[in-house]
Amino acid sequence: MITMKDIVREGHPILNHSAKDVSIPPTEQDIETLKKMIQFIKNSQDEKIAEEYELRAGVGLAAPQIGLSKRMIAVHFEDFNNQLYSDGYFNPKIVSHSVEFTYLSSGEGCLSVDREVAGYVPRYARITVSAINLAGEHVKLRLRGYAAIVFQHEIDHLNGVMFYDRINKQEPFLIPEHAKACD
Ligand SMILES: OCN(O)CCCc1ccccc1
Ligand code: NI
């Protein structure tokens, strides 16, 4: 099982590099890895397991965070309408996005960043993501609000981008233009 010792922390170069596409169809090993990533996220949200294994709660995970420079992400969370997102994706790609931006008023954190970084992280308010899910289906996800934010945070990891790279250095709490808080 994946635990915090497997999570790569900022400063490790893999977090600043673009990851490689997974060859399709994914190998048994890629599928196994993605299943373990989903399980880690679920475990991190289970009070007992998280306490027992000292897991930091997360809503998503990208393969570079476990030292694998491959375009794979896992998510497990409910959005503000209680819609559950729980799956793994190979080669997720943002194929279109809104002009409008959104952001979490509480800012963002990251399992690979052991410190608070204050400020708003501007993200597209709506995105369309094409990907291959764990079941091997080509899917097209139309995401908005919190779901759009989580997926952008994870896809950023595949491109070597950390959430704090997007915070306005001069004015961290500057409201981005055409932006509305998502919470
Ligand atoms: O990359 C996964 N991660 O570090 C876990 C937290 C993900 C996250 C996503 C959106 C907003 C806040 C935090
Ligand atoms: Ni992260």
Side-chain angles (χ1 to χ4, degrees):
M1 87 187 260
I2 295 175
T3 61
M4 293 310 291
K5 68 174 176 24
D6 302 306
I7 305 286
V8 163
R9 305 303 153 91
E10 67 176 317
H12 190 299
I14 198 170
L15 293 174
N16 303 112
H17 285 83
S18 268
K20 297 227 174 338
D21 266 354
V22 170
S23 54
I24 302 304
T27 62
E28 274 312 304
Q29 189 182 19
D30 288 338
I31 292 167
E32 200 41 48
T33 302
L34 197 47
K35 283 179 179 169
K36 286 201 174 94
M37 289 168 62
I38 297 169
Q39 195 53 52
F40 168 80
I41 293 295
K42 288 179 177 172
N43 290 344
S44 78
Q45 294 172 28
D46 179 300
E47 214 175 302
K48 282 198 183 52
I49 301 174
E51 193 190 343
E52 161 123 27
Y53 292 94
E54 298 180 325
L55 306 180
R56 226 185 104 189
V59 291
L61 191 69
Q65 292 181 277
I66 55 170
L68 210 51
S69 198
K70 288 190 168 187
R71 302 185 80 82
M72 301 160 52
I73 64 171
V75 298
H76 182 77
F77 66 91
E78 279 188 11
D79 70 7
F80 297 130
N81 303 321
N82 303 326
Q83 155 107 33
L84 177 69
Y85 291 82
S86 180
D87 206 342
Y89 298 95
F90 297 106
N91 305 333
K93 184 173 172 45
I94 296 173
V95 291
S96 68
H97 61 77
S98 58
V99 168
E100 291 80 12
F101 286 85
T102 188
Y103 60 94
L104 283 175
S105 53
S106 54
E108 295 185 13
C110 182
L111 292 171
S112 296
V113 180
D114 295 329
R115 61 191 170 101
E116 296 277 316
V117 183
Y120 295 145
V121 182
R123 300 231 184 244
Y124 298 124
R126 294 178 302 284
I127 55 173
T128 300
V129 173
S130 76
I132 290 144
N133 66 13
L134 188 62
E137 299 153 336
H138 287 255
V139 293
K140 197 165 231 195
L141 309 170
R142 287 170 186 76
L143 307 166
R144 62 185 53 226
Y146 187 60
I149 289 173
V150 174
F151 274 78
Q152 287 174 80
H153 178 113
E154 303 314 334
I155 292 170
D156 264 356
H157 275 305
L158 304 182
N159 298 318
V161 176
M162 302 294 278
F163 74 92
Y164 47 67
D165 296 332
R166 295 188 179 280
I167 296 173
N168 184 307
K169 305 281 175 290
Q170 288 68 36
E171 234 189 297
F173 292 96
L174 176 79
I175 308 280
E177 208 183 351
H178 308 301
K180 243 182 20 231
C182 128
D183 54 348

